[in-house]
Structure formats: structure tokens, C-alpha cells
Amino acid sequence: MLAELPFFRRRYQLNATELKWQQLARRANGSAIFRDIFELMLANSSIPIFLAMDKDYAIAAKAVETFFDPAYNHFLPMGFTSDFDVKKGLAEHLLSAPSALGEFADLLRAGIEPDATRIVNIASQFADVLEESDACVFAEMLRHFGPDSLADIGGEFGADVWQRTTLGHSMFAVMERLGHFTMPLEIRIDIVHDHLVRFEELLGLAKGMFRDFDSTGGVIINGETRFFRMPKVDGMRLSDSKDEPFIQMADLLIGFVRTVFTKVERGQQLGRDELSILGNLVMLRHEFYTWDVNVPNATFEQLQGLGWAELKRRFHRESSPNDFSASCPSGNL
């Protein structure tokens, strides 16, 4: 695959040192260019293991993990930590409080422990939303934090930067999917990651997963196996994205997915090339189950059942019967 990339650069006059989605997005044929690159990846068995996350929903989920952590919220048993269905429902409700979520996000970005009154104010706004959503028991929990709990919650906002962003969650979630993909295969892999400043501790924790299974290697949560070891990974190295084509491919994929999800959310019609790439990604979703927990139910309901025929029907596009399937040889999946 890497040997063929210079051909694409010449063909489409991609002269920048580093391939970025922003370059393609500005072109009328940007999606067509990415479709060619994406099909080249699939033809060379370069399967993207990806995680789609809704930013607002991720912030709402972080708010739930903060205000409904049994370590701070003493109304909850410690077992609530693994009650993912209930916590997902709470995050869905909090999406109805964009102002409070915005203030919560601002505190996370600031990285400074806030005054307790600000925490109480945000908790009160969330409580009002939950009460309106008939989650009265959880609403009342947010109105009765004691001073010790408020101090503990405040400490969350002064934590290391990787703990205040979605990167920590998304990295381990992607690695979880990668673990599921590699587990049954007789392969060894190396991970190449973009060099990130101030995320050394997170990367160190990730590297700690690269060892053989022991008795705590995996656990069943909500019927799904979660792995805490990645025995098929030999190591992780950091690289400058300008020097690593696969990191650039990841940037293109991220940019494309963000663009398409935005269009779907707004009800905008997708182009032929966008539909073709999205069709492949939907099939990969069915294979690797990669985005359900990280987007709101409304978005998931829009995308969950889409296959070639469903994509064609939904967006009312004309295409040949083999238009989508031809771009994804079955042998590569």
C-alpha cells in the first residue's frame, strides 16, 4: 500500500508534506480522492479499527462519570460503576442541558479546581433536567452533595490533562476493539501513535497492556468480553505524523467520518463517493461493533441497520447494484 501512495499524490496533485483531511475537504473531488485511498487500504488488507464518538455525548458521559461516581456520590453502591445501561441513559438525558454541559466542559479545559458553588450550580442544572425526564431519584442525588464529596468532585477538574479529555477513554476503547480483532488471528502487531505532548502517563498505561494473559486478562461486562491485556502487540512507538503515512490515513478517516456524521445529523444528502465509503464503514461496524456506546441513541438509530441497499434507499441515490460491494473485496474482511 505505502508504495502506491506516491501515485495518488501525483494523480491528484497532493503536494503537501502531510496528508490532512482539511486539504481534501476544500476540493470538489475530495471525497472521490479519499474513496480511492480508502479502497487502496481495503485492497491491501488495511482494515480500519475505528471508534466513532459524539463530542457532546462524550462530555455528557464524562459528567455522569463525575457526578455519579460512587466514590463521590455516596447515595450509590460501588456496583453502579459497571451499570453501563443506566449511565448511558443518564448521559442521554444530560444532552438536553447544553448550557450546563458547556460550563462543565469549560471547567475541564481550565484544569483548575473550581469553587464548590460552581459545582453545585452545574449539578443543580443537571438535576432539573433529570427531574423533567422522570429520573427524580438521580436528580435528588445531585442536590445533596456534602462538602467532602464536593471537594472530591472538584479534584476531578484539576487532574492530569489526559484524564480531563476524551482521549483516555477513546484510546483504551480503540485498543479494546483492536484486541478483539487480533485475538483469534495468528499475527503479531506493532502500534504507531502520533507523538502527544503531556500524555506520557496515558501512553505508559497503554503500554502496560502489552503482555500475556493471566487470570485477570478478560472479564464479561454486559455480555461482552473486555480485555485488559493485548498479548498480540509487541510494542508501541511514537512518530511524527509527517513521517508516518498510516497516521495520516487515520487523520483522513477521522475527518471524513466527522464530515459525514455532521451531514447525517443535519439531514443533508450524501454524495455518491461518500455513500460508498460510508457503506464500507457500516459493514465494518457490523463486523467489529465499534460505535454503539459512544454516540447518542438518536444517531445510532439513524445508522445501525444500514447496508448497501439501505444506504441507497435512505439517501435516494441512483447507483448500480454492485456499486458499493465492488469497493470492498470480501476476502479482506
Side-chain angles (χ1 to χ4, degrees):
M1 170 184 167
L2 298 183
E4 297 178 66
L5 282 179
F7 165 76
F8 282 93
R9 282 181 168 274
R10 292 192 299 271
R11 178 180 179 182
Y12 292 114
Q13 298 180 337
L14 302 174
N15 300 320
T17 304
E18 182 176 2
L19 291 176
K20 302 284 285 186
W21 175 252
Q22 290 180 346
Q23 304 166 12
L24 300 188
R26 289 193 292 265
R27 296 192 179 195
N29 64 340
S31 293
I33 296 173
F34 182 57
R35 179 180 180 177
D36 277 357
I37 295 174
F38 191 77
E39 290 177 357
L40 173 64
M41 292 169 58
L42 295 181
N44 285 272
S45 299
S46 296
I47 304 300
I49 306 297
F50 63 97
L51 189 80
M53 298 180 66
D54 181 284
K55 184 177 180 181
D56 291 337
Y57 178 74
I59 294 172
K62 175 64 175 176
V64 171
E65 295 291 352
T66 300
F67 287 104
F68 294 99
D69 186 335
Y72 313 142
N73 191 324
H74 302 303
F75 298 102
L76 292 167
M78 290 306 297
F80 187 77
T81 301
S82 58
D83 202 340
F84 297 109
D85 290 338
V86 174
K87 293 196 292 185
K88 180 173 174 59
L90 290 171
E92 297 279 351
H93 292 318
L94 295 190
L95 286 173
S96 301
S99 177
L101 285 177
E103 186 176 354
F104 178 80
D106 289 341
L107 292 181
L108 288 175
R109 281 190 289 268
I112 301 173
E113 186 171 340
D115 185 271
T117 56
R118 295 196 67 183
I119 300 174
V120 170
N121 179 57
I122 295 175
S124 178
Q125 293 180 66
F126 287 153
D128 291 342
V129 170
L130 293 178
E131 190 169 37
E132 292 172 2
S133 304
D134 294 327
C136 299
V137 173
F138 290 101
E140 284 303 302
M141 291 181 187
L142 296 182
R143 295 191 173 107
H144 299 286
F145 284 117
D148 292 341
S149 293
L150 289 172
D152 290 337
I153 292 173
E156 287 277 310
F157 298 99
D160 290 340
V161 62
W162 70 269
Q163 295 175 300
R164 292 183 280 107
T165 69
T166 59
L167 181 60
H169 167 74
S170 60
M171 171 175 283
F172 286 108
V174 170
M175 291 176 67
E176 177 76 20
R177 299 304 171 193
L178 182 60
H180 275 277
F181 176 72
T182 59
M183 200 57 62
L185 304 176
E186 294 299 324
I187 60 174
R188 306 293 303 179
I189 64 173
D190 290 288
I191 296 177
V192 183
H193 200 288
D194 196 4
H195 182 73
L196 297 173
V197 179
R198 297 186 299 163
F199 287 89
E200 289 80 8
E201 183 178 352
L202 173 62
L203 295 173
L205 290 172
K207 291 176 182 178
M209 297 176 67
F210 307 153
R211 57 183 184 270
D212 289 336
F213 278 129
D214 56 23
S215 60
T216 60
V219 64
I220 304 297
I221 299 177
N222 279 14
E224 182 181 357
T225 302
R226 301 290 181 92
F227 295 117
F228 303 110
R229 304 284 187 270
M230 300 185 71
K232 301 296 183 73
V233 179
D234 290 329
M236 174 190 290
R237 64 179 174 85
L238 303 182
S239 178
D240 190 321
S241 58
K242 294 183 177 63
D243 303 320
E244 182 49 63
F246 279 112
I247 294 179
Q248 296 175 37
M249 295 302 101
D251 177 87
L252 295 180
L253 177 62
I254 291 169
F256 170 81
V257 170
R258 181 169 53 243
T259 296
V260 167
F261 268 55
T262 300
K263 285 188 174 183
V264 170
E265 184 181 15
R266 295 174 179 174
Q268 297 176 347
Q269 193 174 55
L270 300 183
R272 186 186 186 90
D273 295 304
E274 291 172 324
L275 281 170
S276 178
I277 303 165
L278 178 60
N280 280 317
L281 292 176
V282 168
M283 291 299 100
L284 288 168
R285 179 264 157 189
H286 284 298
E287 285 287 318
F288 304 124
Y289 198 69
T290 52
W291 65 42
D292 301 2
V293 181
N294 302 285
V295 296
N297 284 334
T299 303
F300 178 55
E301 288 168 1
Q302 287 179 297
L303 297 170
Q304 64 176 340
L306 300 184
W308 314 135
E310 288 298 312
L311 281 168
K312 178 180 175 183
R313 180 192 61 77
R314 175 177 168 77
F315 296 107
H316 308 292
R317 302 292 292 183
E318 293 183 1
S319 59
S320 65
N322 297 320
D323 180 48
F324 300 130
S325 56
S327 67
C328 184
S330 59
N332 291 335
L333 293 178

